[in-house]
Amino acid sequence: MANVYDVAYDLEKALRNSEDFTALKQSYDEVNNNPETKELFGKFRDIQVNLQQKQMNGQEVTPEEIEEAQKLFADVQQNETISKLMAAEQRMSMIINDLNKVITKPLEELYGPMVEEDGQQQ
Amino acid sequence: MANVYDVAYDLEKALRNSEDFTALKQSYDEVNNNPETKELFGKFRDIQVNLQQKQMNGQEVTPEEIEEAQKLFADVQQNETISKLMAAEQRMSMIINDLNKVITKPLEELYGPMVEEDGQQQ
Ligand SMILES: [Ca+2]
Ligand SMILES: [Ca+2]
């Protein structure tokens, strides 16, 4: 019987060699090798994390902060390199999500369908 | 190159056929096939979820609720069938956690070590 950890290492390897991971890595390097792009993306990420934390802690987000975030988002969307990276990240996040669903299927069958975040059962 | 989804299905199969999953399933059925044990475990789970939700929402937990939870926990610990299930669940949760770490290693290498919940970097 195949050992789960052995197969997990196979999956890691498959993911590492996948086109999607290669594309992600390439976009990531492209963004980070250009100081201007790197700075813009870093600023955007910082403000995103900052706003999310404020919301989670129930802190007030000022109109100035919202305006700054919107301005940065517009800049980021106009930057082709960053847009490509964000699309690749979204794709990878979808794949990881899919993999988790596949792997935990035996548990879902045992415990019954979970209520999803959108409130629907699957 | 191996398709990530194909390998994920292999991993699902390996997990489903693993001794750990088989033991979990067996304990789960044992608990649920005995109406008394099933009821006790159900009550314990309900009160656990209830207390967790109250804590997350910042609601007050009454001394009576704490006492009831402690009493149920004592009953549950004395029940061999339930103790076995809880140990099997903890083991499975550890395995799933390990698998996730292995699979997302390429991403961790790309983005750098994440700060863990315990505040340490790995
Ligand atoms: Ca579900
Ligand atoms: Ca880490």
Side-chain angles (χ1 to χ4, degrees):
Chain A
M1 192 196 302
N3 179 288
V4 287
Y5 288 93
D6 289 343
V7 187
Y9 286 112
D10 288 344
L11 183 50
E12 189 225 315
K13 205 171 138 192
L15 188 65
R16 194 186 291 277
N17 292 326
S18 70
E19 273 177 39
D20 293 303
F21 182 73
T22 310
L24 171 63
K25 196 173 176 333
Q26 206 173 324
S27 296
Y28 183 88
D29 289 342
E30 225 171 291
V31 165
N32 285 285
N33 288 340
N34 178 330
E36 215 174 295
T37 312
K38 184 182 174 176
E39 196 196 335
L40 174 58
F41 192 54
K43 262 192 193 163
F44 176 64
R45 275 285 142 91
D46 287 349
I47 211 166
Q48 260 191 327
V49 170
N50 188 18
L51 289 184
Q52 273 171 4
Q53 275 175 344
K54 281 200 162 186
Q55 278 183 322
M56 282 199 312
N57 298 332
Q59 286 174 294
E60 206 190 334
V61 176
T62 66
E64 288 77 21
E65 284 173 319
I66 293 174
E67 207 186 319
E68 199 193 342
Q70 283 173 338
K71 208 202 141 296
L72 269 175
F73 187 58
D75 290 349
V76 149
Q77 280 193 308
Q78 277 172 357
N79 185 304
E80 216 179 306
T81 323
I82 297 181
S83 298
K84 232 173 66 189
L85 173 56
M86 285 171 71
E89 286 182 335
Q90 218 175 330
R91 211 178 143 63
M92 184 52 63
S93 149
M94 211 191 65
I95 291 170
I96 297 287
N97 197 28
D98 283 350
L99 298 183
N100 278 326
K101 272 194 203 156
V102 170
I103 297 159
T104 56
K105 211 164 183 5
L107 291 172
E108 201 189 305
E109 284 172 16
L110 185 59
Y111 287 99
M114 311 279 169
V115 174
E116 304 289 298
E117 275 167 59
D118 57 14
Q120 290 192 305
Q121 295 205 327
Q122 63 182 20
Chain B
M1 189 197 304
N3 178 289
V4 287
Y5 289 93
D6 290 341
V7 188
Y9 285 112
D10 289 343
L11 182 51
E12 189 226 314
K13 206 171 137 192
L15 189 64
R16 194 187 291 277
N17 293 326
S18 69
E19 273 177 38
D20 293 304
F21 183 72
T22 310
L24 171 64
K25 198 173 174 335
Q26 205 173 324
S27 296
Y28 182 87
D29 289 341
E30 225 173 290
V31 164
N32 284 285
N33 288 340
N34 177 329
E36 215 175 296
T37 312
K38 183 182 175 175
E39 196 195 335
L40 174 59
F41 192 56
K43 263 192 191 162
F44 177 65
R45 276 284 143 92
D46 287 349
I47 211 166
Q48 262 192 327
V49 170
N50 188 18
L51 289 184
Q52 274 172 3
Q53 274 174 345
K54 281 199 162 187
Q55 280 184 321
M56 282 199 312
N57 298 333
Q59 286 174 292
E60 206 190 333
V61 177
T62 67
E64 288 77 23
E65 284 173 319
I66 294 174
E67 208 185 318
E68 200 193 341
Q70 284 172 338
K71 208 201 142 297
L72 269 175
F73 187 57
D75 291 347
V76 149
Q77 280 193 309
Q78 277 172 356
N79 185 304
E80 216 181 305
T81 324
I82 297 181
S83 297
K84 232 173 65 190
L85 174 56
M86 285 170 70
E89 286 182 337
Q90 218 176 330
R91 210 178 144 65
M92 183 52 63
S93 150
M94 212 192 64
I95 292 170
I96 296 288
N97 197 28
D98 282 350
L99 298 182
N100 278 326
K101 272 195 201 155
V102 170
I103 297 160
T104 55
K105 212 164 183 1
L107 291 171
E108 202 190 303
E109 284 173 15
L110 185 60
Y111 287 98
M114 310 279 168
V115 175
E116 304 289 295
E117 275 167 58
D118 58 13
Q120 290 191 308
Q121 293 206 325
Q122 63 182 22

